[in-house]
């Protein structure tokens, strides 16, 4: 029975005593670990907030916005269910390991997560179908716009393992999170949430939740308004499938649609309806279809959330970047569901490339975990009605409540490794705001030095001197403050001093560069401050970088004779594949350009929209320097070598004339004798010996 006037409002506002108690008991039945969301993979776009799914396919905490909100525990009304009928025998169960309503659940579950994907297999032996779930969010390396989508896709793959036809259905129930900004902000009720059905169109059907009108009453904490907006669940189904929807109330002892679903694999629109102002809204969409013996079909659901305006802890209003592209959650869900296969393929592209490399499978988990952390605690949007603020901002946050301030220097450096490799333009936005905030605020010398190292790392990878010039005025404030401290506080390390000199020279600040020269005269340049970043470690392992002078450096770490080292390169200006083949008689290195990434804005002197312009190469020296005889080939065309210089354990090869390497081209460098040379020598020797 639904308690009367159980208001759907902010956590802690009045909901009717009995109703609130029932809801808390139901939420308690869905376990959340003491470590918060660590038992769950968080599925959300870059800077959008997220939902999460656990190892047993139970939905976990959700975060409607990473700015001004806290994660909240998902309600028991959010779950998926399966129904089957084969040979007159019917079965139904929740597609998860737990149920807040005591419904039958799946007993055999295997799962694995590698952001932005989570894979779950339901292998109950007593069912005529085998069910696999692939949940993901669109996160496309180097494409910030396509990765800024507040939507998760859940694709259920049904395989008929019986020897006869089977009827099967999957239902997705979702409980709205609108009106719940988190436990720390209580007592400010919002208007009721409206629920309505999205009628079938272009093979999709579902429902949406709409929060109160975007009206900002003055309250003590404006962040309470961040729980407004809309949510939508959209299902994609084949033409021959049957689709049905129902609206219900999570305070029911059991979902009102469950008996009908357990009997016929459908839910009824005529079931218990949600009345605004009473209960807590939830809705369900079910897709039923027929499977021939051995046949496999997919049912895909898109879960989207949308926040039109957000407030941070200082009361500043922000508009999420995705709100400039979409009108509401339904529009987001429609877009993602329509192109889900493309989004899935492009989101997994980098993982496939990493797995194929000799370093591969063991590295994917660490790279994915860091990407998940960066995506989950960031915000991407525009300041609302404040022309003094930059037109767009990206904040790498340390906490969902106060973005940009709570990361330690080490944590920020770790996540910057991922951000710089995957989304360099967002790294520039984050650092720009960071520079402004630190220049205008009160900081210490250690924090100033950490900022210098972050800015220097960005310049090293992107060579974006135009960006550095745009922030240098405020960066100089930070530098002058560091000098004003004199000898007080911790001494600056040699890497930071060298970074300052590089930045000053790149910004054409000759006065500061000269001032640093004396201090650095007796300082050796270290390789850098170690950063525990999986993405930075991958970059250093492969050692592939193109400097501003057009020198392609192919200097990996840990190269061993007889062992191939290969993998994808994530450079701010391009994506490539590099392969090192060290041999006792020489070394072969191949470099293939897979994709150009706005190179004209990154390196105007060495790159164009047509390709990468190379003037010289640097490769490791593994043999006697006297035996170095480089050969350079670009897509089977020999390239002339002007000068060969050996320095330490590296060989620099200056080309006769600069060459343009285009997408799809492979550049091959050989030092010493190649395998073909050795084979030719052996053949010649055999011929000389005679029969």
């Amino acid at each position: 029975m639904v308690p009367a006037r159980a208001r759907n409002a902010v956590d802690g506002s009045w909901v009717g005593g009995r109703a609130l108690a029932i809801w808390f008991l139901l939420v308690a039945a869905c376990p959340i670990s003491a470590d918060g969301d660590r038992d769950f993979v968080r599925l959300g776009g870059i800077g959008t907030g997220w939902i999460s799914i656990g190892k047993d396919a139970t939905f976990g905490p959700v975060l409607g916005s990473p700015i001004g909100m806290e994660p909240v525990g998902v309600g028991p009304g959010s779950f998926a269910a399966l129904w089957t009928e084969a040979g007159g025998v019917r079965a139904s169960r929740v597609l998860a390991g737990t149920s807040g309503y005591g419904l039958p659940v799946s007993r055999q579950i295997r799962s694995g997560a590698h952001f932005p994907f989570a894979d779950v297999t339901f292998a109950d032996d007593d069912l005529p179908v085998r069910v696999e779930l692939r949940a993901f969010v669109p996160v496309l390396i180097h494409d910030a716009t396509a990765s800024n989508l507040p939507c998760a896709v859940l694709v259920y793959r049904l395989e008929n393992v019986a020897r006869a036809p089977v009827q099967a259905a999957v239902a997705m129930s979702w409980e709205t999170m609108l009106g719940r900004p988190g436990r720390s902000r209580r007592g400010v009720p919002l208007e009721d949430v409206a629920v309505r059905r999205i009628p079938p169109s272009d093979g999709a059907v579902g429902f949406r939740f709409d929060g109160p009108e975007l009206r900002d009453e003055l309250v003590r904490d404006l962040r309470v308004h961040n729980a407004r907006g809309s949510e939508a669940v959209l299902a994609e189904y084949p033409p021959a499938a049957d689709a049905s929807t129902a609206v219900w109330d999570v305070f029911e002892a059991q979902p009102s649609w469950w008996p009908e679903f357990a009997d016929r694999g459908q839910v009824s629109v005529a079931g218990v309806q949600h009345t605004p102002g009473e209960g807590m809204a939830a809705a369900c969409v079910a897709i039923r279809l027929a499977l021939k013996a051995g046949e496999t079909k997919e049912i895909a659901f898109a879960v989207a959330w949308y926040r039109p305006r957000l407030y941070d802890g200082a009361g500043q209003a922000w508009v999420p970047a995705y709100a400039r592209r979409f009108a509401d959650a339904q529009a987001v869900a429609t877009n993602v569901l329509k192109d889900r296969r493309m989004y899935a393929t492009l989101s997994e592209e980098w993982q496939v490339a990493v797995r194929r490399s000799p370093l591969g499978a063991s590295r994917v988990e660490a790279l994915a975990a860091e990407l998940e952390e960066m995506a989950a605690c960031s915000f991407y949007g525009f300041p609302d009605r404040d022309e003094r603020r930059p037109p767009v901002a990206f904040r790498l946050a340390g906490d969902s409540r106060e973005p940009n301030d709570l990361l330690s220097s080490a944590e920020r450096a770790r996540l910057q490794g991922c951000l710089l490799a995957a989304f360099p333009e967002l790294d520039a936005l984050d650092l720009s705001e960071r520079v402004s905030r630190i220049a205008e605020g009160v900081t210490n010398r250690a924090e100033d030095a950490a900022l210098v190292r972050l800015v220097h790392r960005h310049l090293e990878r992107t060579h974006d001197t135009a960006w550095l010039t745009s922030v240098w005025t405020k960066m100089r404030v930070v530098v002058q403050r560091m000098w004003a401290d004199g000898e007080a506080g911790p001494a600056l390390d040699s890497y930071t001093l060298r970074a300052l000199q590089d930045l000053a020279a790149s910004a054409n600040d000759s006065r500061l560069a000269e001032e640093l020269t004396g201090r650095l005269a007796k300082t050796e340049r270290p390789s850098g401050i170690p950063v525990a970043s999986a993405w930075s470690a991958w970059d250093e392992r492969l050692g592939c970088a193109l400097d501003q002078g057009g020198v392609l450096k192919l200097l990996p770490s840990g190269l061993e004779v007889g062992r191939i080292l290969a993998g994808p390169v994530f450079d701010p200006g391009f994506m490539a594949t590099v392969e090192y083949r060290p041999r006792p008689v020489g070394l072969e290195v191949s470099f293939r350009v897979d994709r150009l990434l706005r190179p004209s804005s990154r390196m105007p002197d060495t790159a164009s929209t047509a390709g990468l312009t190379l003037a010289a190469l640097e490769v490791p020296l593994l043999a006697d320097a006297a035996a170095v005889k480089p050969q350079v080939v670009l897509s089977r065309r020999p390239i002339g070598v002007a000068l060969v210089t050996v320095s330490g354990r590296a060989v620099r090869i200056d080309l006769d004339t600069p060459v343009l390497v285009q997408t799809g081209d492979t550049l091959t460098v050989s030092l010493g004798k190649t395998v073909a040379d050795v084979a030719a020598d052996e053949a010649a020797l055999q011929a000389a010996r005679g029969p």
Side-chain angles (χ1 to χ4, degrees):
M1 181 178 295
V2 182
R5 301 299 299 171
R7 188 174 180 80
N8 177 21
V10 180
D11 286 343
S13 61
W14 68 277
V15 187
R18 180 183 175 191
L20 186 59
I22 292 174
W23 188 83
F24 279 141
L25 287 173
L26 292 174
V27 171
C30 301
I32 298 178
S33 71
D35 292 330
D37 53 75
R38 293 184 183 178
D39 283 345
F40 299 83
V41 58
R42 292 161 293 183
L43 298 177
I46 304 298
T48 66
W50 40 265
I51 67 172
S52 65
I53 186 168
K55 296 177 181 178
D56 68 345
T58 300
F59 289 110
V62 299
L63 181 66
S65 166
I67 186 171
M69 294 181 70
E70 300 171 353
V72 296
V74 72
S78 297
F79 64 92
L82 172 72
W83 170 88
T84 62
E85 182 180 31
V89 178
R90 298 171 183 173
S92 57
R93 63 197 58 184
V94 171
L95 288 172
T98 59
S99 169
Y101 295 95
L103 302 174
V105 298
S106 300
R107 294 182 294 275
Q108 299 181 37
I109 300 175
R110 297 190 300 272
S111 63
H114 42 105
F115 182 85
F117 297 90
D119 294 311
V120 184
T121 299
F122 306 91
D124 293 346
D125 295 333
D126 58 337
L127 292 176
V129 298
R130 183 174 182 265
V131 183
E132 294 179 349
L133 165 64
R134 161 152 279 202
F136 76 95
V137 289
V139 176
L140 286 60
I141 298 298
H142 292 112
D143 192 337
T145 300
S147 302
N148 178 241
L149 295 171
C151 182
V153 180
L154 300 99
V155 182
Y156 290 89
R157 185 173 182 268
L158 309 180
E159 179 185 2
N160 183 353
V161 295
R163 297 182 178 179
V166 171
Q167 293 286 325
V170 176
M172 174 63 66
S173 175
W174 193 256
E175 173 184 333
T176 180
M177 293 294 107
L178 293 175
R180 300 175 58 206
R183 292 184 296 276
S184 67
R185 281 176 282 283
R186 300 180 177 179
V188 185
L190 299 177
E191 297 177 23
D192 301 312
V193 175
V195 190
R196 65 184 178 87
R197 182 174 184 255
I198 301 174
S201 177
D202 296 328
V205 67
F207 52 86
R208 59 180 290 169
F209 304 97
D210 290 290
E213 180 184 351
L214 192 61
R215 187 175 62 249
D216 299 343
E217 296 88 353
L218 290 177
V219 294
R220 180 177 299 178
D221 191 341
L222 289 171
R223 287 174 291 182
V224 72
H225 295 311
N226 293 355
R228 303 165 304 182
S230 62
E231 295 175 358
V233 175
L234 207 58
E236 176 188 82
Y237 60 95
D242 175 77
S244 56
T245 59
V247 178
W248 63 292
D249 198 288
V250 299
F251 292 141
E252 300 168 3
Q254 185 183 84
S256 56
W257 50 266
W258 182 261
E260 183 180 2
F261 180 75
D263 181 47
R264 300 192 297 117
Q266 295 177 308
V267 297
S268 176
V269 179
V272 175
Q273 300 290 313
H274 171 72
T275 302
E278 297 184 2
M280 187 170 288
C284 175
V285 56
I287 305 297
R288 190 181 71 178
L289 45 73
L291 292 168
K292 300 176 183 178
E295 188 177 16
T296 299
K297 290 184 179 180
E298 290 182 349
I299 300 174
F301 299 90
V303 179
W305 57 97
Y306 183 95
R307 303 294 186 263
R309 186 185 301 148
L310 301 166
Y311 290 91
D312 60 21
Q316 169 70 39
W318 296 85
V319 176
Y322 61 75
R324 297 287 181 92
R325 300 170 55 206
F326 300 100
D328 51 34
Q330 181 180 342
V332 176
T334 301
N335 171 273
V336 175
L337 200 59
K338 178 182 178 182
D339 296 324
R340 66 177 177 86
R341 291 179 176 84
M342 177 196 70
Y343 283 131
T345 299
L346 295 178
S347 295
E348 195 177 23
E349 183 181 40
W350 71 268
Q351 295 191 11
V352 172
V354 170
R355 287 195 186 95
R356 287 175 178 170
S357 89
L359 301 173
S362 62
R363 303 293 184 106
V364 171
E365 184 176 350
L367 294 170
E370 200 164 288
L371 183 62
E372 176 189 350
E373 183 69 19
M374 186 274 293
C377 68
S378 59
F379 172 71
Y380 187 24
F382 302 83
D384 188 35
R385 296 196 296 268
D386 189 344
E387 296 180 357
R388 295 172 299 174
R389 302 298 294 264
V392 62
F394 177 85
R395 293 182 174 185
L396 186 60
D399 185 276
S400 61
R401 291 164 294 180
E402 299 294 343
N404 213 48
D405 285 331
L406 300 184
L407 279 178
S408 67
S409 297
E411 184 69 7
R412 177 170 289 278
R414 183 179 72 87
L415 292 184
Q416 192 208 23
C418 173
L419 183 61
L420 185 54
F423 302 100
E425 71 276 24
L426 297 185
D427 186 56
L429 290 174
D430 177 59
L431 287 175
S432 295
E433 183 162 344
R434 185 78 177 164
V435 167
S436 296
R437 291 163 70 90
I438 289 183
E440 298 169 1
V442 178
T443 60
N444 55 53
R445 200 175 194 187
E447 188 174 358
D448 290 343
L451 177 64
V452 168
R453 293 193 293 268
L454 291 174
V455 172
H456 184 250
R457 177 62 174 165
H458 182 89
L459 182 66
E460 277 188 321
R461 292 299 308 278
T462 66
H463 309 288
D464 194 345
T465 54
W467 169 80
L468 178 65
T469 301
S470 71
V471 300
W472 185 247
T473 300
K474 292 185 178 179
M475 269 299 298
R476 214 178 193 289
V477 172
V478 176
V479 175
Q480 289 174 334
R481 185 167 59 207
M482 293 169 67
W483 292 143
D485 289 342
E487 298 300 324
L492 292 177
D493 59 272
S494 57
Y495 178 79
T496 303
L497 290 172
R498 286 288 183 184
L500 281 173
Q501 186 183 47
D502 288 348
L503 292 175
S506 298
N508 294 320
D509 192 335
S510 57
R511 180 178 178 182
L512 178 58
E514 291 174 3
E515 184 179 345
L516 287 165
T517 301
R519 297 199 177 207
L520 295 171
K522 299 180 180 180
T523 302
E524 294 183 2
R525 186 183 186 115
S527 59
I529 297 178
V531 174
S533 165
W535 288 82
S536 296
W538 180 269
D539 173 56
E540 292 173 7
R541 184 75 171 90
L542 292 178
C544 178
L546 179 61
D547 72 14
Q548 198 167 11
V551 180
L552 178 62
K553 298 182 179 182
L554 301 166
L555 301 170
S557 62
L559 198 59
E560 300 178 20
V561 174
R563 298 188 63 179
I564 296 174
L565 174 63
V569 175
F570 306 104
D571 186 271
F574 58 85
M575 290 184 69
T577 301
V578 64
E579 181 178 285
Y580 302 90
R581 292 180 173 269
R583 302 184 179 94
V585 293
L587 169 70
E588 285 190 1
V589 184
S590 67
F591 170 81
R592 185 185 73 236
V593 176
D594 298 321
R595 185 179 304 162
L596 294 173
L597 305 165
R598 296 169 54 191
S600 58
S601 65
R602 171 185 173 264
M603 298 172 61
D605 295 331
T606 61
S608 68
T609 55
L612 306 178
T613 303
L614 308 183
L617 309 168
E618 288 188 15
V619 295
L621 175 65
L622 298 181
D624 184 2
V628 171
K629 296 179 180 179
Q631 298 176 1
V632 181
V633 177
L634 176 60
S635 299
R636 300 183 179 180
R637 177 171 58 91
I639 302 298
V641 174
L643 181 65
V644 178
T645 308
V646 176
S647 176
R649 301 305 301 173
V651 179
R652 177 180 170 118
I653 305 168
D654 288 277
L655 306 178
D656 278 339
T657 57
V659 298
L660 184 68
V661 183
Q662 300 173 307
T663 301
D665 285 347
T666 297
L667 183 75
T668 303
V669 183
S670 301
L671 291 182
K673 291 185 177 181
T674 66
V675 172
D677 294 332
V678 173
D681 290 346
E682 291 178 349
L685 181 61
Q686 184 66 30
R689 290 173 179 173

